[in-house]
Amino acid sequence: MKEQTVAKLILENIGGKENIKSVEHCATRLRLILADNEKINTKAIEDIDGVKGQFMSAGQFQIILGTGFVNKVYACIVEGDTEIKTDNKAEAYSNMTLPQKISRTLGDIFVPIIPVLVATGLFMGLRGLLTNLGISMDDNLMLMSEVLTDTAFAFLPALVAYSAMKKFGGNPVVGMVLGLMLVAPQLPNAYNVAAGSAPPIYLNLVGINIPIVGYQGSVLPALVIAIFAAKLEKSLHKVVPNVLDLIVTPFLTLFVSMILGLLVVGPIMHESEVLILNLFKAFISIPFGLGGAIVGGLNQLIVVTGIHHIFNALEVELLADTGLNPYNAMITGAIAAQGAAALAVAFKTRDSKKRSLYISSAIPAFLGITEAAIFGVNLRFIKPFIFACIGGAAAGMLAGMINLAGTGMGITVLPGTLLYLNGQLLGYVAVLAVGMAVAFILTTLFFKSEE
């Protein structure tokens, strides 16, 4: 079987199983942490039929194999060997730079939430499509659609606090309760307070009136409170007697965290959140689409550095604040451009085996996964990657100029069309077409296959 052959050849060219400290895989890549990187034969690995590229990042040797196939090769490598560790996180984290560590931490917190927000965005898109088609819904059906589209954002702090608490080693259920407390119905709804239809509650402490509101749609207050709560809970476990731990620890964790959350952390973090969001919205709204051009042009360069997960929080904030995500629209053309540049390289390559490899590396980009195209083709030849970034900048500029925005996050290019069914589909197609056309034409004109 092909996966067995590929696994065998990979092991032969990384120093064997005994050189593996830890191994895991993502959607497209086999991620290896090796005891001795000098034993890697990169040329031989790249020549393996089925390998689409390789690179070293954050202390991990990553081999691009493609969706589906990577799972099979991984299974062949670890099959029957109980001594191989299959969790790279701790080892990889120690080898990361500070920005990479921050990005990875935010990714670990927000990535589990993304599927829910993707589903919510799709529901909003489908409702927008029905509305644009002139299909009317009765009040009860509209109410049911609002349950589908509004619930995740109404209880967003609970989702964030649950995930953050779990990431930092606390009890995730305690985190969820903390998040729910931030949006408890007894507190004035944040959206109503912002609209002026409800006043905040004022709590007088030592002569100071502290306004208290709910934190519907907020991310930072829940994130910081959950991190604090996780640290507090672990500390309490060490000092509270075992016989009282089940009662005292969760009580003190919830009580102290909520007091700090509502009176100190919440207000400070909420104001910080508003400031960051307003600055980001102002940046992407720079006239003539220049903000979009910068975002689109730099997006895939940021992906290469491994710190792109840091923008997940901003996307969540945009959706919670406005219900729309212009950032998604600005980066989707950049993703498609990488695929188009890789296709252009393939069409200019005379070697049929390499052409087939390059085409297979390009295809995942049109489904929103660019690693194979970037590391397997474009970045190896430099010029195609630069031309794809230019295509991304052109697409991002157009997205900014026409105020294109999706109803969700987490999916782009072809799957991402589902986020633009609310009357923006033609604009979305135009953005993709511009990104792909610029990247493909520039690569075709200025890249020589001899390179």
Side-chain angles (χ1 to χ4, degrees), residues 235-290:
S235 298
L236 289 171
H237 280 311
K238 296 177 182 178
V239 297
V240 175
N242 290 338
V243 69
L244 299 175
D245 188 54
L246 184 64
I247 299 171
V248 173
T249 297
F251 172 80
L252 289 177
T253 301
L254 286 171
F255 179 74
V256 175
S257 300
M258 188 44 51
I259 294 297
L260 284 176
L262 288 177
L263 301 183
V264 182
V265 176
I268 294 173
M269 286 299 103
H270 181 64
E271 291 302 317
S272 301
E273 183 178 60
V274 171
L275 176 62
I276 293 169
L277 186 61
N278 286 339
L279 288 174
F280 186 69
K281 286 163 67 176
F283 176 77
I284 61 178
S285 301
I286 295 174
F288 310 110
L290 294 178

Side-chain angles (χ1 to χ4, degrees), residues 41 56 109 222 231 354 419:
N41 187 339
M56 184 70 71
I109 292 171
K231 303 290 187 182
K354 288 183 178 179
L419 303 180

Side-chain angles (χ1 to χ4, degrees), residues 310-327:
I310 205 165
F311 293 100
N312 289 341
L314 281 170
E315 289 189 84
V316 173
E317 288 280 7
L318 285 169
L319 287 166
D321 185 59
T322 65
L324 294 171
N325 183 3
Y327 181 80

Side-chain angles (χ1 to χ4, degrees), residues 412-424:
T412 51
V413 198
L414 295 180
T417 56
L418 298 172
L419 303 180
Y420 296 84
L421 297 177
N422 57 342
Q424 300 189 85

